[in-house]
Short mmCIF file of all heavy atoms in Angstrom, two decimals:
data_model
loop_
_atom_site.label_atom_id
_atom_site.label_comp_id
_atom_site.label_asym_id
_atom_site.label_seq_id
_atom_site.Cartn_x
_atom_site.Cartn_y
_atom_site.Cartn_z
N ALA A 359 -37.84 -26.64 121.06
CA ALA A 359 -38.17 -25.36 120.69
C ALA A 359 -38.55 -24.43 121.87
O ALA A 359 -38.92 -24.91 122.98
CB ALA A 359 -39.47 -25.43 119.70
N ARG A 360 -38.55 -23.12 121.68
CA ARG A 360 -38.99 -22.27 122.83
C ARG A 360 -40.37 -21.85 122.36
O ARG A 360 -40.60 -21.35 121.36
CB ARG A 360 -38.16 -20.96 122.74
CG ARG A 360 -36.58 -21.30 123.05
CD ARG A 360 -35.63 -20.14 122.72
NE ARG A 360 -35.79 -19.07 123.63
CZ ARG A 360 -35.93 -17.78 123.48
NH1 ARG A 360 -35.96 -17.39 122.24
NH2 ARG A 360 -36.00 -16.95 124.51
N VAL A 361 -41.34 -22.20 123.16
CA VAL A 361 -42.73 -22.04 122.90
C VAL A 361 -43.35 -20.92 123.68
O VAL A 361 -43.19 -20.76 124.83
CB VAL A 361 -43.57 -23.37 123.21
CG1 VAL A 361 -44.97 -23.33 122.85
CG2 VAL A 361 -42.84 -24.55 122.50
N ARG A 362 -43.96 -20.00 122.86
CA ARG A 362 -44.66 -18.75 123.46
C ARG A 362 -46.14 -18.87 123.11
O ARG A 362 -46.59 -18.90 122.00
CB ARG A 362 -44.04 -17.59 122.84
CG ARG A 362 -42.63 -17.41 123.09
CD ARG A 362 -42.18 -17.16 124.42
NE ARG A 362 -40.79 -17.16 124.73
CZ ARG A 362 -40.06 -18.19 125.24
NH1 ARG A 362 -40.63 -19.38 125.59
NH2 ARG A 362 -38.76 -18.09 125.52
N ILE A 363 -46.91 -19.04 124.15
CA ILE A 363 -48.32 -19.29 123.97
C ILE A 363 -49.24 -18.08 124.22
O ILE A 363 -49.13 -17.48 125.40
CB ILE A 363 -48.81 -20.51 124.78
CG1 ILE A 363 -48.05 -21.79 124.43
CG2 ILE A 363 -50.30 -20.71 124.70
CD1 ILE A 363 -48.09 -22.89 125.44
N HIS A 364 -50.08 -17.78 123.38
CA HIS A 364 -51.04 -16.70 123.51
C HIS A 364 -52.46 -17.28 123.41
O HIS A 364 -52.78 -18.14 122.51
CB HIS A 364 -50.92 -15.61 122.54
CG HIS A 364 -51.98 -14.53 122.79
ND1 HIS A 364 -53.16 -14.70 121.97
CD2 HIS A 364 -52.21 -13.54 123.54
CE1 HIS A 364 -54.02 -13.62 122.33
NE2 HIS A 364 -53.43 -12.89 123.35
N ASP A 365 -53.31 -16.97 124.29
CA ASP A 365 -54.81 -17.21 124.07
C ASP A 365 -55.57 -16.12 124.86
O ASP A 365 -55.15 -15.88 126.09
CB ASP A 365 -55.15 -18.64 124.63
CG ASP A 365 -56.63 -18.95 124.20
OD1 ASP A 365 -57.55 -18.45 124.81
OD2 ASP A 365 -56.68 -19.84 123.28
N PRO A 366 -56.71 -15.57 124.30
CA PRO A 366 -57.33 -14.56 125.05
C PRO A 366 -58.15 -15.06 126.31
O PRO A 366 -58.46 -14.35 127.30
CB PRO A 366 -58.41 -13.99 123.99
CG PRO A 366 -58.29 -14.87 122.85
CD PRO A 366 -57.07 -15.72 122.91
N LYS A 367 -58.53 -16.37 126.36
CA LYS A 367 -59.36 -16.83 127.42
C LYS A 367 -58.75 -18.15 128.14
O LYS A 367 -59.32 -18.62 129.10
CB LYS A 367 -60.71 -17.22 126.93
CG LYS A 367 -61.55 -16.03 126.46
CD LYS A 367 -62.05 -15.24 127.55
CE LYS A 367 -62.71 -13.93 127.03
NZ LYS A 367 -62.83 -12.97 128.06
N ALA A 368 -57.72 -18.73 127.52
CA ALA A 368 -57.40 -20.01 127.98
C ALA A 368 -56.10 -20.21 128.58
O ALA A 368 -55.52 -21.31 128.82
CB ALA A 368 -57.55 -21.06 126.86
N LEU A 369 -55.31 -19.06 128.95
CA LEU A 369 -53.98 -19.26 129.53
C LEU A 369 -53.91 -19.92 130.72
O LEU A 369 -53.05 -20.62 131.02
CB LEU A 369 -53.33 -17.84 129.53
CG LEU A 369 -52.80 -17.29 128.31
CD1 LEU A 369 -52.07 -15.96 128.44
CD2 LEU A 369 -52.07 -18.20 127.37
N GLU A 370 -54.93 -19.72 131.61
CA GLU A 370 -54.99 -20.28 133.01
C GLU A 370 -55.00 -21.80 132.77
O GLU A 370 -54.27 -22.71 133.37
CB GLU A 370 -56.31 -19.89 133.68
CG GLU A 370 -56.30 -20.12 135.21
CD GLU A 370 -57.56 -19.64 135.69
OE1 GLU A 370 -58.13 -18.53 135.30
OE2 GLU A 370 -58.06 -20.29 136.67
N ASN A 371 -55.91 -22.35 131.95
CA ASN A 371 -55.97 -23.88 131.64
C ASN A 371 -54.72 -24.27 130.95
O ASN A 371 -54.27 -25.49 131.25
CB ASN A 371 -57.24 -24.04 130.79
CG ASN A 371 -58.51 -24.01 131.61
OD1 ASN A 371 -58.48 -24.28 132.93
ND2 ASN A 371 -59.65 -23.70 131.03
N ALA A 372 -54.10 -23.50 130.00
CA ALA A 372 -53.00 -23.87 129.29
C ALA A 372 -51.82 -24.20 130.25
O ALA A 372 -51.12 -25.20 130.17
CB ALA A 372 -52.59 -22.77 128.30
#
Side-chain angles (χ1 to χ4, degrees):
R360 303 166 73 226
V361 178
R362 302 293 175 257
I363 298 167
H364 173 269
D365 190 288
K367 295 285 175 198
L369 283 190
E370 197 182 322
N371 284 331

